Amino acid sequence: MPFGTITLNDGRKIPEIAFGTGSVWKYQDVTEYVIQALDTGFSHIDTAQWYRNEESVGKALKETGVARQDFWITTKYKGTGGARKTLVQSLKELGLEFVDLYLIHNPADLDQSLEEVWAEFEQIRSEGLAKSIGVSNTKVIQLQQLMKHAKITPAVNQVSFNPYNYSENLALLEFAAKYGIVIEGYSSLAPITKYPNGAVDEPVNLAAKRLNATPAQVIFSWVRSKGVLIVTTSSKKSRLEEYLGVFDLPPLTKEEIAAIDKAGAEGPSAWSTILDKEVMETTFPLRDHLLKSLSTLPGSCRLSVHLLVTTPHKYLGLYPHSSLPLKSRPTVYQQNILALVSVSSPSDHSDAVFISAIEAALYVTPQSHSSILYISKVDSTGQHTPLISSPTRCFVTSFLDFFASPTSRPTPYLRIQLFARAQSQYLFPNSSQFSGKRVLSDVKLCKWWKDVFSQVAAKTRNEWANSPPRLFYLLPGFTKDEAGNMLRSVSEQDDWEYGHPYRLPAIRMYTAVTSPEHDASFPPHDLFDIIPTFSDDPKARFLVELVATNKVDNKSVRDEVPKSPPKKKVKMEQAIVGENRSGQNEEEADMGSLGNDKERSRQLISISMDEFWERMGFRQECSQGAVTGFFVVDFQPVIPIEAESATFSASGIRKSHSSQVSPTLHARILASLLNLDFGAMERAREATKLLLESIQGLVYGVQAADNEVIDREVSNEKSGDQENPGTVSNAATGDEQADFITSSIIVDNGPPPVTGTSSIPGSTAPAATQNPVNVLQPRKKKRPPP
């Protein structure tokens, strides 16, 4: 089964097909499977530092006794720890003096700029530790920036490549051809393994029938026709032989290639949403990005990240009181996110306990290329000691970094916002009773969030200086000077704007007015078209009260519109299209006064924006002296919007995948969490166990075993067949869901430092020494004796 080679731009020849050790092989002993691949005829082995299986790859190379000149080894830099230093360790584990190809695994995970790391890569090649160097998961805009400083052109760029994302990779292929960069493609069999019964099936099956080949062989032939190198894997020798048999087949005809291209453009796209499983498994997605950031914390333990993301669904409740007809408003898609962190001892899963949590919602508007990430709640239990330092700040910052980065941002325009209100607990009931939990005061909480937003914005500003973010904050009831004095940080740059962000030209991206016929009248006539409604944001209730109490021509319409709803939580599921059970159509399935009161809403005379925010300062909690804060950061496109418009299509965001859960199931799991008890360590461990079992029962549809927690690690009995070309059901298996929802890693960074009494989550600095204070007491006058 002969296969050829491709000549790189540095003159070296790389085998056309590689056996990958990622996906299900991460953190596993792959000795047996690498030996099998080499015996079958593979000579190119692809591994990575993040996979944590380089040592077993080296063991396989040693056991087979293959001469060094007869195999090619690719590994990838994980992004932290220094490119050269970590490569030296990789070489030690592989048992080699050099690797044939060293790639930057993902620019989004670098602890330095891409240009700085590439300079180190160039030095590595000059030393001979890597014969060729390249990148992975790198976009055109990043390559353009890199080429301005690079002395050596990357030899390779490894990316997800299949018929369904081919049209979105055209610009990358064109750029690669210009500079002689070879594209390596992974997950090429996604039309079979992840998206069966799609548009590509028909042309692939017709070509397979003509060639007397399998569908997998046809897809790999199509990949070869694009000049792309194949990266694949399987635990079965028969599959490996099948893949190598591609090189014995005659090429596809031009008509067959064109038919697959056309069908791929009609089907699902792995790049249409950042929460797609195809992207998330391999390109350090949200879950793995969080885990990777947490792995740097001081401590010795097992850390697990549990991520629940709902399928994208149409949402009509973002601007429920807008006067515009529903047909004139942009389509909005919502995804709810619940991220949890648990900690346990390295060798014992039974003592796992939740220590941090984030509840958020993502609202994507494809029409305006914009999205809003609303941070609903963040909480911690304080039960991380003595295993690890407090993870909350690192966890939250990493979460925001992922969405803010242009390489993983859901849309070119992104707004992150939250409302900060001090409470003793948010997501972990009774956790305030635990002595180790440090509850922030209202001022310290607002300052904490301001510092976190500053940190996220600074990172984006440093990496993308041509498109700096804009930051806004407002403490209702306080002037700019008063707020500044309360929240000022010594190291903070003067880049915050005090006030609301609803008067900028960019607000056009985040309103109910994005249709061309309404552009002439922008800004909208009333604030109901501008200010979004979130379920736990005080602005939402205030907007409802305005609708119920506003006046038209000095005549009260209090009796003409619905009264303000009770204080209990509004069931937002009613605004989700598909969950409506009243028999209404999509335009009628809305909240509040959207149905019969559309005409009435048009008559309302809105108050000014400044008056609205002034009234926010007269809320009961503000009048009682509480400090609350609204924080917003706006991120702008880093390249012209036309260049990215194809990436953010409405057809893509509507796709649901086996790695996501339904909104109803997400709500049930969240409700389960809010009914548990985290008041003491033992009760918290029992609560953690119960919730993990609940997730297993609700999501996976199986009965949880006693003393068992969900873990992403794949058992030795699992086949590991990543790209099985057989019949695949649209329903996800338990293993697929587990691999997506939960991921674990062993942290061994030495004991965490002794913490002081600082109340800032994530702070490990001891409390400052307090100088004694003499309090003057008034001298009491002695009463004369009677």
Side-chain angles (χ1 to χ4, degrees):
M1 302 174 186
F3 55 86
T5 59
I6 297 176
T7 303
L8 302 177
N9 55 23
D10 58 11
R12 304 185 72 240
K13 297 183 182 297
I14 184 173
E16 276 191 90
I17 189 170
F19 177 83
T21 62
S23 189
V24 296
W25 302 128
K26 294 175 185 174
Y27 320 125
Q28 307 300 308
D29 186 334
V30 296
T31 305
E32 173 188 352
Y33 302 108
V34 173
I35 291 175
Q36 178 176 262
L38 293 170
D39 290 343
T40 305
F42 281 80
S43 61
H44 182 175
I45 306 299
D46 182 278
T47 186
Q49 295 167 0
W50 181 247
Y51 301 163
R52 298 197 173 190
N53 54 24
E54 290 173 312
E55 186 174 359
S56 58
V57 171
K59 182 179 178 182
L61 295 173
K62 183 177 180 180
E63 290 186 10
T64 56
V66 180
R68 182 63 185 89
Q69 65 271 19
D70 293 333
F71 64 84
W72 179 287
I73 291 292
T74 296
T75 194
K76 308 178 193 75
Y77 173 46
K78 61 184 180 181
T80 60
R84 188 186 187 282
K85 180 179 179 180
T86 55
L87 177 58
V88 170
Q89 180 62 30
S90 294
L91 292 174
K92 180 180 179 181
E93 294 182 1
L94 291 166
L96 302 174
E97 295 181 356
F98 66 89
V99 293
D100 296 279
L101 179 61
Y102 192 31
L103 304 178
I104 296 173
H105 206 145
N106 195 318
D109 295 294
L110 298 177
D111 56 5
Q112 298 174 280
S113 69
L114 179 59
E115 293 77 17
E116 290 173 326
V117 174
W118 187 251
E120 190 173 0
F121 264 58
E122 291 174 333
Q123 180 62 31
I124 287 170
R125 201 190 86 161
S126 68
E127 294 179 27
L129 298 177
K131 299 297 184 181
S132 299
I133 53 176
V135 294
S136 178
N137 303 302
T138 305
K139 296 183 178 181
V140 172
I141 183 175
Q142 295 170 316
L143 290 170
Q144 290 172 335
Q145 184 68 20
L146 177 62
M147 293 305 296
K148 295 178 182 179
H149 306 276
K151 298 177 181 177
I152 300 175
T153 300
V156 165
N157 186 12
Q158 186 179 118
V159 298
S160 172
F161 190 86
N162 62 72
Y164 285 135
N165 66 16
Y166 169 65
S167 61
E168 295 159 10
N169 277 321
L170 285 174
L172 185 64
L173 290 171
E174 182 180 348
F175 184 91
K178 179 180 178 180
Y179 289 93
I181 301 172
V182 169
I183 298 296
E184 291 184 341
Y186 62 81
S187 296
S188 297
L189 296 183
I192 297 174
T193 61
K194 303 298 190 299
Y195 310 113
N197 306 317
V200 165
D201 287 14
E202 182 177 352
V204 166
N205 290 335
L206 289 174
K209 184 176 180 180
R210 180 185 72 83
L211 296 171
N212 192 27
T214 66
Q217 289 177 322
V218 171
I219 290 179
F220 281 146
S221 294
W222 174 86
V223 172
R224 291 189 69 203
S225 73
K226 305 301 181 182
V228 174
L229 188 149
I230 301 166
V231 180
T232 188
T233 194
S234 178
S235 65
K236 300 178 180 179
K237 185 175 182 179
S238 60
R239 294 251 190 266
L240 299 180
E241 291 173 343
E242 174 188 343
Y243 301 158
L244 293 177
V246 171
F247 300 92
D248 294 330
L249 295 175
L252 298 175
T253 66
K254 293 181 179 179
E255 293 75 16
E256 289 169 337
I257 295 172
I260 295 174
D261 292 351
K262 181 179 179 181
E266 298 173 358
S269 170
W271 295 100
S272 296
T273 169
I274 60 168
L275 299 176
D276 181 276
K277 184 173 187 286
E278 184 67 35
V279 178
M280 295 193 72
E281 284 188 344
T282 317
T283 62
F284 298 115
L286 178 55
R287 182 206 61 195
D288 288 347
H289 178 81
L290 295 172
L291 193 67
K292 186 168 182 284
S293 298
L294 293 171
S295 67
T296 62
L297 292 174
S300 179
C301 63
R302 173 187 291 271
L303 276 176
S304 298
V305 171
H306 316 268
L307 183 67
L308 288 163
V309 181
T310 64
T311 54
H313 45 264
K314 278 187 179 180
Y315 185 73
L316 304 177
L318 200 58
Y319 303 99
H321 311 297
S322 172
S323 61
L324 298 173
L326 288 173
K327 290 183 178 179
S328 300
R329 304 185 206 175
T331 303
V332 177
Y333 298 93
Q334 181 191 38
Q335 286 184 294
N336 298 314
I337 304 170
L338 177 63
L340 298 156
V341 179
S342 63
V343 64
S344 62
S345 55
S347 58
D348 185 7
H349 293 191
S350 63
D351 64 349
V353 61
F354 286 128
I355 53 177
S356 292
I358 299 173
E359 182 189 357
L362 179 67
Y363 303 91
V364 178
T365 308
Q367 184 177 345
S368 59
H369 308 285
S370 64
S371 55
I372 298 176
L373 177 66
Y374 180 68
I375 309 301
S376 177
K377 297 180 181 70
V378 171
D379 202 2
S380 62
T381 63
Q383 293 158 346
H384 54 278
T385 56
L387 296 176
I388 198 166
S389 296
S390 176
T392 305
R393 178 154 187 155
C394 176
F395 186 43
V396 172
T397 304
S398 177
F399 184 88
L400 298 180
D401 280 341
F402 180 86
F403 285 93
S405 172
T407 59
S408 54
R409 191 182 301 171
T411 52
Y413 291 95
L414 172 71
R415 167 167 288 179
I416 301 178
Q417 64 184 82
L418 64 90
F419 170 67
R421 176 198 285 130
Q423 294 180 8
S424 59
Q425 57 201 28
Y426 299 89
L427 290 167
F428 296 117
N430 298 330
S431 58
S432 60
Q433 299 175 8
F434 182 69
S435 59
K437 181 168 182 175
R438 298 172 293 176
V439 179
L440 294 176
S441 65
D442 50 6
V443 174
K444 288 183 177 180
L445 177 67
C446 289
K447 186 178 185 302
W448 188 84
W449 274 114
K450 192 164 182 271
D451 290 343
V452 168
F453 270 40
S454 295
Q455 182 178 342
V456 173
K459 182 177 180 181
T460 304
R461 185 185 299 107
N462 293 337
E463 295 178 355
W464 307 91
N466 63 320
S467 183
R470 298 190 67 172
L471 299 102
F472 305 86
Y473 80 107
L474 181 66
L475 307 187
F478 294 92
T479 66
K480 178 180 179 180
D481 291 339
E482 291 171 338
N485 289 332
M486 283 190 290
L487 306 188
R488 180 171 289 115
S489 174
V490 176
S491 60
E492 180 186 315
Q493 298 180 8
D494 186 19
D495 49 13
W496 281 87
E497 301 178 38
Y498 190 72
H500 62 81
Y502 298 110
R503 58 167 59 99
L504 298 173
I507 191 58
R508 187 192 302 268
M509 301 296 111
Y510 309 103
T511 70
V513 187
T514 55
S515 300
E517 60 266 30
H518 297 288
D519 284 351
S521 62
F522 191 87
H525 291 297
D526 54 51
L527 51 80
F528 303 113
D529 299 325
I530 308 175
I531 300 179
T533 293
F534 307 110
S535 60
D536 58 350
D537 189 330
K539 297 195 304 295
R541 183 172 180 83
F542 197 51
L543 287 171
V544 173
E545 292 174 355
L546 285 176
V547 172
T549 59
N550 210 347
K551 297 180 179 181
V552 179
D553 296 331
N554 297 321
K555 177 182 178 181
S556 175
V557 295
R558 194 182 286 268
D559 297 328
E560 299 181 19
V561 293
K563 293 182 179 180
S564 179
K567 291 186 177 180
K568 65 180 181 180
K569 243 184 176 179
V570 179
K571 292 185 177 180
M572 299 300 289
E573 290 85 353
Q574 295 174 2
I576 301 172
V577 174
E579 297 290 323
N580 177 36
R581 299 174 182 174
S582 63
Q584 297 171 303
N585 59 35
E586 287 186 4
E587 292 187 4
E588 295 172 336
D590 209 345
M591 295 179 57
S593 59
L594 283 185
N596 299 328
D597 298 307
K598 286 187 291 182
E599 295 298 330
R600 237 172 288 154
S601 295
R602 289 194 188 94
Q603 298 176 355
L604 295 178
I605 300 174
S606 65
I607 66 173
S608 69
M609 186 67 69
D610 290 337
E611 184 180 353
F612 173 85
W613 288 102
E614 183 179 356
R615 291 190 186 185
M616 289 295 294
F618 292 103
R619 300 191 329 275
Q620 182 177 1
E621 59 187 337
C622 294
S623 63
Q624 293 176 349
V627 178
T628 59
F630 294 92
F631 297 87
V632 174
V633 57
D634 279 345
F635 297 93
Q636 309 298 319
V638 295
I639 60 176
I641 192 68
E642 292 78 13
E644 290 194 5
S645 58
T647 306
F648 308 99
S649 61
S651 62
I653 197 69
R654 288 200 297 264
K655 299 295 180 181
S656 61
H657 306 291
S658 61
S659 56
Q660 300 165 349
V661 300
S662 70
T664 302
L665 192 148
H666 179 277
R668 290 180 64 184
I669 293 174
L670 183 59
S672 298
L673 173 62
L674 297 177
N675 281 288
L676 297 172
D677 186 352
F678 292 85
M681 182 65 76
E682 288 304 315
R683 296 201 298 270
R685 286 173 179 164
E686 181 64 22
T688 301
K689 177 184 175 182
L690 289 173
L691 186 66
L692 291 176
E693 289 177 348
S694 177
I695 293 173
Q696 187 177 20
L698 291 172
V699 177
Y700 311 145
V702 295
Q703 181 65 36
D706 290 338
N707 299 321
E708 179 183 60
V709 296
I710 303 166
D711 187 41
R712 78 173 304 280
E713 294 184 347
V714 184
S715 65
N716 292 330
E717 289 77 17
K718 185 173 180 179
S719 68
D721 192 2
Q722 178 198 25
E723 298 188 321
N724 185 347
T727 303
V728 180
S729 170
N730 287 324
T733 65
D735 285 338
E736 287 174 336
Q737 293 271 12
D739 186 62
F740 172 77
I741 290 176
T742 302
S743 182
S744 302
I745 193 170
I746 302 296
V747 175
D748 189 12
N749 299 325
V754 178
T755 59
T757 58
S758 170
S759 61
I760 303 297
S763 172
T764 58
T769 304
Q770 299 279 338
N771 292 323
V773 177
N774 295 322
V775 181
L776 298 178
Q777 299 286 349
R779 183 178 296 175
K780 293 183 179 181
K781 203 172 189 179
K782 292 184 179 180
R783 291 184 179 181

